[in-house]
Structures are given as structure tokens and as C-alpha cells.
Amino acid sequence: MRIMVITVSVTVVLLGSIWFIQGSDSRDGVTFTHIHGLGFSESGELLVAAHDGLNIKESEWYMADDRPLHDYMGFSVYDSGFYSSGHPEPGSDLDDPLGLVHSADQGQTLDVLGFYGEIDFHRLTVGYYTEDILLFNPQNHSNLGEIGFYYSTNQGESWDEVEANGLESVQITNVHNPEVDIAVHPEEEGVFAVSSLDGVYISDDYGQTFEQISDIPGGVAVAFDFNNQLVVSTVSSDLIMVDLDTFESESMAAPPTNEDIINYIANDPSDSEVYAVASFIPNQPDENLFIYMTEDGGKSWDVSVEESKAVQ
């Protein structure tokens, strides 16, 4: 199902893509409400899905207000765009929730891949080059199945259930569970990772079986980087790097987050020494969002967003 919406002086809804024209990019006073994902484009831009649309960092931050200000959930960047779910911007004619959507032009147009107006996927991740999709289905659905994790290898045309043998001790039944995170390998098909308070698990058969590769109590954030490693954030915001050949772990110098918890991690495919992490203070208002960046593999970090305000 695809929908086209053109916003000028009137709004027209047609079958096709979702297409918008709104205004111009804003680079003054870029602020962030709570976010639901971040990732790098192939050219090195950092895309952040905030509550009110996309904020993008090139040489400096700007708010992409020339496109819809949707509240993206489960935001996951891949080499040609992003996959996401979430809710349409206020006043939109689009159904709520968006279901599973895809964009190849940083949100100027959206292709609806399924579940439009039916399901909001908070927990969603995609392989950067493989486009393997792994998501948590929060409700029984006639075409998807019962509550649980599912994967697709064909851009959402069909789905298979993740059996998750070996994860019996990990509670992954709650879409809002902050103590479990998931990731999909950027290049190797069928390779998934789960980080929990019990440790780090990996699967090379589309999640049918998992092997515990570390007893590091992670659970907050996990991401495959482009250096053949898993990067795991712990509840104390330590960053741990797990070598995928040997499964040996070592600490990565983390930014000075104080009482912040790192809940998103991204690595730049155009420069694998560049990482970005987002953090928040638990049980605090949305203005306590931070984004830190490193250009030397974690040896030094700069504050890029401080107390929800972009540092230009």
C-alpha cells in the first residue's frame, strides 16, 4: 500500500508514495525532544529521529522542516535511506499509526510497506546493507502472527517468526522493556544480536538459535559497527566492544555521561572511526538529551547535543 500526500496550499491524497513539500531547512536553534533512533547515511550525515521530525548533522545541525515532522518510532537507517514506524505529524491526513514505512530520500517520501493504521513498531532494526528487518510485534495480527519477534528478508513482503532458542532466560516480551536491545548485522545476512542484563547473545540463523558470547550486563543499547564488532552500552553507560571473530571483549572509552544512560549507538560507514551515541537521564524531562560524537574510535568525545540543544 502506498499513499501520496502533496502539501502546498491544499492537501491531496492519492495512491502512490507519501510526498511532501513544506518549507526550508532550519539551522537556527535546533532542539530535540525525546528521540527514537539515530544513524549515519553512506555520506556521513547523522540522522536523528526526534519526536517532531528529523534533525540532521552535516557540518552542522539542522532541522529538516522541509519534510513532514512525523514522530518516528523504531527508526533504523540503512545505506539508501531509513525504515521506521510511528505516528504522523499533527494535522496530517495520514492514518495513525504509520505501520512499517520506508524512505529512500531522508523522509521527503515514504513508502508504506504494511500494517498502515494498525501497528506502531517501537522496536525495529534493519541490516545496513542486507535490509534484513527484525521487529517486535506488540499485538496479535492476522497477517503477522502473535506477539513476538519477526524478521523479513524481502522488505516486508513476508515475515517469519524468530524462534529465539537459547534466549529462554531473556525476557523480550515487552516492547517498552529498557533492559533488552536488538541489532542486525550490516553486511552478513541472518546475523542478529540481543543484549540484555543476562549478557550478549548472537544468532547466525535469523534468530532461530542464539549463543551467549558475553556475560557483560548490557541491555540498554547494542549495535554492530563497521569494524567487525558489537558495541554494547551497559546500565552504567560503559561501552564494551566485542570482537565478532574471537568474541573477546574490551572497553571502549565512553563519553563523560555522568548519570546519563547511553541508549542509542551508531557507527559511520564512510569513516568507521566515527561513532555517535545518545544518552538521557532516567525519569527526567526531555530536555536532558545528549548526543556525543567521536572521530577517533572513542579516544576523545565531543558534545554535539547538550541538554537537548544542538552545539554548532
Side-chain angles (χ1 to χ4, degrees):
M1 175 180 181
R2 308 178 68 194
I3 302 173
M4 174 173 285
V5 180
I6 304 177
T7 304
V8 279
S9 58
V10 295
T11 302
V12 181
V13 180
L14 300 171
L15 290 177
S17 299
I18 306 175
W19 182 35
F20 302 82
I21 303 174
Q22 286 191 309
S24 60
D25 297 336
S26 173
R27 298 175 186 265
D28 298 326
V30 178
T31 60
F32 296 71
T33 53
H34 64 270
I35 69 173
H36 296 284
L38 54 77
F40 288 92
S41 70
E42 272 208 309
S43 58
E45 298 167 306
L46 180 60
L47 281 67
V48 179
H51 179 66
D52 52 357
L54 293 180
N55 289 338
I56 300 175
K57 181 177 175 61
E58 295 174 332
S59 58
E60 60 184 23
W61 285 103
Y62 68 94
M63 182 177 182
D65 58 2
D66 62 338
R67 63 209 76 183
L69 308 180
H70 297 323
D71 183 8
Y72 290 114
M73 302 285 181
F75 182 79
S76 186
V77 177
Y78 79 110
D79 66 334
S80 299
F82 65 80
Y83 288 78
S84 192
S85 190
H87 309 282
E89 65 177 344
S92 172
D93 287 339
L94 299 179
D95 288 350
D96 186 9
L98 294 173
L100 177 63
V101 296
H102 156 272
S103 177
D105 53 14
Q106 297 187 350
Q108 293 284 1
T109 62
L110 294 178
D111 292 326
V112 177
L113 303 181
F115 317 108
Y116 180 59
E118 297 177 327
I119 306 179
D120 176 23
F121 299 106
H122 284 216
R123 196 179 292 276
L124 163 69
T125 185
V126 177
Y128 197 87
Y129 292 114
T130 67
E131 291 186 64
D132 285 347
I133 305 171
L134 176 64
L135 57 75
F136 180 83
N137 173 31
Q139 65 190 59
N140 294 339
H141 187 275
S142 58
N143 293 330
L144 190 56
E146 297 180 350
I147 294 172
F149 281 96
Y150 293 81
Y151 71 91
S152 174
T153 61
N154 52 16
Q155 292 77 52
E157 290 184 14
S158 61
W159 297 89
D160 291 291
E161 185 174 4
V162 173
E163 296 295 337
N165 295 305
L167 284 181
E168 287 80 8
S169 65
V170 178
Q171 300 300 311
I172 53 175
T173 58
N174 184 351
V175 68
H176 297 293
N177 186 350
E179 298 176 348
V180 176
D181 195 27
I182 57 175
V184 174
H185 197 285
E187 298 173 295
E188 296 184 18
E189 295 179 352
V191 178
F192 302 158
V194 172
S195 178
S196 76
L197 293 180
D198 292 335
V200 182
Y201 299 78
I202 196 163
S203 169
D204 61 3
D205 58 6
Y206 291 98
Q208 305 317 300
T209 58
F210 280 86
E211 174 187 1
Q212 184 171 4
I213 62 172
S214 172
D215 59 2
I216 296 167
V220 183
V222 63
F224 289 94
D225 68 11
F226 295 92
N227 297 301
N228 197 40
Q229 301 172 126
L230 270 177
V231 184
V232 182
S233 171
T234 71
V235 291
S236 57
S237 281
D238 295 323
L239 290 176
I240 307 297
M241 305 172 78
V242 182
D243 186 289
L244 293 176
D245 287 328
T246 65
F247 295 154
E248 293 182 355
S249 303
E250 65 177 344
S251 295
M252 176 182 185
T257 55
N258 298 316
E259 69 264 44
D260 293 19
I261 292 178
I262 294 172
N263 61 335
Y264 293 106
I265 304 168
N267 185 214
D268 185 350
S270 69
D271 184 346
S272 63
E273 290 292 290
V274 175
Y275 293 82
V277 300
S279 69
F280 71 104
I281 299 177
N283 303 316
Q284 295 290 319
D286 288 336
E287 60 264 22
N288 288 296
L289 169 74
F290 291 77
I291 295 177
Y292 302 88
M293 297 187 68
T294 177
E295 297 181 351
D296 54 16
K299 296 181 179 66
S300 61
W301 293 85
D302 294 318
V303 180
S304 190
V305 173
E306 184 175 15
E307 294 183 345
S308 298
K309 298 180 179 62
V311 177
Q312 303 285 23

